[in-house]
Amino acid sequence: MADTRQPIKAVRGTRDILPPDTSLWQHVEDSARRVFHRYNFHEIRTPIFEATELFARGVGEETDIVGKEMFTWEDKARAQSERSQSLTLRPENTAGVVRAYIEHKLGESGMLQKLYYVGPQFRRERPQKGRYRQFYQIGAEVLGPPSAGSESPARDAEVIVMLADLLREVGIQQWSLHLNSVGCADCRPKYNEALRAALKDVVHTMCADCRRRAVNNPLRVLDCKVPEDQPKIAALPTIGQYLDEKCRVHFSEVKSILDATGIRYDVNERMVRGIDYYTRTTFEFSHGGLGAQSALLGGGRYDGLSESLGGPKAPGIGFALGLDRFVIALEAEGVTAPATAPRAYIAPLGAGMNPEAAKLAHELREQGMAVEVGDESFRLKKSFESAERAGIPFVVIIGENEVKAGAFAVKDLTSGEQVTVSRGEIVKTLS
Ligand code: HAM
């Protein structure tokens, strides 16, 4: 039997985000929506769980996400018309967006789709600062038929420039951008071969994941975090010299647009990102205030993903930012959210005054003002104290005499001044 006196706590790797901290979260979300709209992105909402197969095929069997980190369960059929299937809490949202693009035939419009999303993702990782099992992403994807320009390096650069705008709008300054190209279905096999050849003599000394990946998906060897394997990984060939002409030109076009718009970046040929769908451009923005989990956000191009999920050709590029990590970076840079205290505290004074207080509060709220209301049983001193603790600048006193006279005493807690104001003038005085 469970001990019913034991308080129940949030599950490991999950947490509650409480006010006033939530206002910093809202600040990031509001800034993102504002910036995305300037770039003509529109919101998409997809389910929080999907068929496991979507992630196995989309993200890749050999990735840490699919191999080790998914919250998966068998959903048993409850009626003859249903079938049992394996379901998974989404570990990321690009696969879900592309599934929705295919399912709703969004490509048939012939237009580029510019979609963004905000919501929780789930990965069973070892929790630490900046790494949670339920975490929050804001992401965006640009995809469409090639005739809509979805393959253009201008799209890659636009997404990256938008992110630099977002970081400025949010107030994060100390970021760096790391850029790479991981090639395409034509040139990647040659790089994989080079990796296999280079691994041949050393891989038997490396970890079990590396030994398996060297055979199945050598690029993923570069994701290994085992310290003893790192010197061997550092000696492996890099992708740059294996890019074919088309990928090379695409990458240099992305870089020249970033140069023209004044975005600083370093090319990091070791950065392959931990998901299999990437082709050509990949990028990460990092922040020094995050500690070991330094990636603020990451993204890249995924030109074959739609086809691998049974859809039409729909090249695309996107990113997801870690909202949890944005908030940590903002705190590290000393950015605070704007104060959100109500404007006035309505203090009913004496028996029978609650209805009058509620009436005035309702009138003020209808006019868009945020107010808080006390109780008729409170002494005036308690009302003043409550208002002060909540950071509310004005107290409106409602007693029998005030109601009869149609005028209220308004006390400015900052100056200590008290004035009598008629009902009609009250909004003006409080504003
Ligand atoms: P990702 O790099 O796996 O990419 O995740 C993006 C961001 O989510 C990371 O840079 C990090 O800020 C945050 N993040 C990831 N895991 C955690 C965690 N356990 N706790 C806290 N934050 C975390 C993707 O998810 C791709 N879908 C991005 C993308 C969109 N690529 C193309 N389109």
Side-chain angles (χ1 to χ4, degrees), residues 92 94 123 125 130 132 137 141 273 277-278 295-296 318-319 322:
E92 63 98 53
T94 308
R123 296 183 193 174
E125 296 189 81
Y132 310 98
Q137 283 187 342
E141 313 292 346
R273 311 240 327 110
Y277 50 60
Y278 289 117
L296 265 180
F319 69 87

Side-chain angles (χ1 to χ4, degrees), residues 307-352:
E307 291 100 308
S308 73
L309 296 176
K313 198 166 186 255
I317 175 143
F319 69 87
L321 66 81
L323 194 42
D324 311 69
R325 295 188 191 174
F326 258 55
V327 169
I328 298 172
L330 283 168
E331 285 165 350
E333 291 200 22
V335 178
T336 49
T340 53
R343 194 72 191 147
Y345 188 96
I346 316 252
L349 204 63

Side-chain angles (χ1 to χ4, degrees), residues 135-396:
F135 61 99
Y136 296 81
Q137 283 187 342
I138 300 180
E141 313 292 346
V142 187
L143 71 168
S147 59
S150 55
E151 258 168 322
S152 166
R155 301 284 71 81
D156 308 41
E158 186 181 47
V159 162
I160 294 171
V161 174
M162 176 168 85
L163 283 163
D165 276 358
L166 174 58
L167 285 158
R168 185 178 36 79
E169 183 108 355
V170 162
I172 296 178
Q173 290 173 352
Q174 291 147 32
W175 51 266
S176 13
L177 164 59
H178 314 280
L179 198 63
N180 194 17
S181 172
V182 294
C184 66
D186 294 333
C187 56
R188 181 93 57 79
K190 292 194 192 85
Y191 179 53
N192 277 336
E193 272 324 302
L195 284 176
R196 278 199 188 95
L199 283 163
K200 210 166 105 255
D201 295 333
V202 285
V203 78
H204 67 278
T205 66
M206 296 172 77
C207 73
D209 281 346
C210 285
R211 291 202 298 275
R212 200 186 57 251
R213 287 168 170 174
V215 179
N216 300 339
N217 189 347
L219 194 72
R220 293 272 74 88
V221 170
L222 304 183
D223 291 340
C224 173
K225 309 281 181 312
V226 174
E228 298 77 48
D229 290 349
Q230 297 313 307
K232 296 156 204 164
I233 291 170
L236 293 173
T238 53
I239 182 106
Q241 62 206 96
Y242 294 89
L243 295 182
D244 64 17
E245 187 55 19
K246 280 188 182 159
C247 289
R248 216 185 292 277
V249 169
H250 193 277
F251 193 37
S252 68
E253 184 77 4
V254 174
K255 288 184 284 187
S256 63
I257 302 175
L258 294 180
D259 293 338
T261 44
I263 309 268
R264 295 162 289 130
Y265 57 85
D266 355 292
V267 173
N268 175 357
E269 289 192 356
R270 289 273 162 218
M271 192 191 63
V272 294
R273 311 240 327 110
I275 300 178
D276 276 353
Y277 50 60
Y278 289 117
T279 56
R280 294 190 167 166
T281 314
T282 53
F283 57 89
E284 270 178 19
F285 285 69
S286 62
H287 190 278
L290 289 174
Q293 302 305 312
S294 65
L296 265 180
L297 66 91
R301 178 165 278 286
Y302 43 85
D303 290 348
L305 178 57
S306 173
E307 291 100 308
S308 73
L309 296 176
K313 198 166 186 255
I317 175 143
F319 69 87
L321 66 81
L323 194 42
D324 311 69
R325 295 188 191 174
F326 258 55
V327 169
I328 298 172
L330 283 168
E331 285 165 350
E333 291 200 22
V335 178
T336 49
T340 53
R343 194 72 191 147
Y345 188 96
I346 316 252
L349 204 63
M353 286 299 117
N354 275 345
E356 284 298 334
K359 192 171 152 212
L360 179 66
H362 186 227
E363 281 168 23
L364 295 175
R365 286 166 176 159
E366 269 184 332
Q367 293 179 68
M369 186 170 283
V371 301
E372 187 53 279
V373 189
D375 189 81
E376 62 187 15
S377 67
F378 294 176
R379 299 259 173 96
L380 200 50
K381 186 161 170 268
K382 177 164 178 183
S383 293
F384 284 156
E385 280 168 6
S386 305
E388 208 150 5
R389 257 210 318 267
I392 301 174
F394 293 99
V395 176
V396 182

